[in-house]
Amino acid sequence: MKLFTLALVSVALLGLSMNGVHGDAPAAEGTNQRAPPTKLQIGVKFRPTECPVRTKIGDKIAVHYEGKLFSNGKVFDSSLKRGDPIEFNLGQGHVIQGWDQGLLNMCIGEKRLLKIPDDLAYGARGAPPDIPANAALVFSTELMAINGKTAKDFLHAEL
């Protein structure tokens, strides 16, 4: 009897997993089934071996970026396409909070992937028409300069 019950439970669990109730069901084409981030996630994709200076609050920084919606991966803005990095003073509220926090302590030439929850992005107001309300965002970023100085400026200073 125990063997029969065990076999019956095994078959039931197998059926559930095949129907996507138990285990991971494949995501529908073109959708993102992952839960959006609830806190800022910072992924360092590249960091130069030499880092003579790092970003801090108040620095004027230049950043290349590509911004996407977390929900579907749609690109809503890219400085790379324009060929012109954005410049702003870090930590002064000139950009979304996810950037003010996610670009701190960064080296010139460093590349980061920022996954930003909606409350550190545009929140309930969104940024119509491209960014809906309560949207989590993903940014690929590269720090180009700090206070007008690029990596080349620091290389020449060491020679």
Side-chain angles (χ1 to χ4, degrees), residues 8-79:
L8 188 58
V9 169
S10 296
V11 169
L13 287 175
L14 180 62
L16 287 175
S17 70
M18 291 177 74
N19 289 322
V21 176
H22 181 79
D24 293 330
E29 181 119 15
T31 64
N32 183 346
Q33 294 295 323
R34 298 170 296 151
T38 56
K39 62 180 184 172
L40 177 63
Q41 297 175 21
I42 303 169
V44 176
K45 298 303 178 184
F46 173 77
R47 180 173 288 146
T49 53
E50 298 295 321
C51 184
V53 63
R54 293 179 180 266
T55 58
K56 61 187 181 313
I57 292 175
D59 284 341
K60 183 176 184 178
I61 64 173
V63 179
H64 263 308
Y65 67 93
E66 180 177 75
K68 298 179 181 181
L69 298 176
F70 179 87
S71 62
N72 62 13
K74 179 183 176 196
V75 175
F76 58 83
D77 194 13
S78 174
S79 69

Side-chain angles (χ1 to χ4, degrees), residues 65-68 76-77 96 99 112-116 121-122 131 137-141:
Y65 67 93
E66 180 177 75
K68 298 179 181 181
F76 58 83
D77 194 13
I96 60 174
W99 272 39
R112 290 185 180 177
L113 182 70
L114 306 178
K115 293 182 182 178
I116 302 175
Y122 295 98
I131 302 173
L137 306 176
V138 178
F139 286 93
S140 297
T141 64

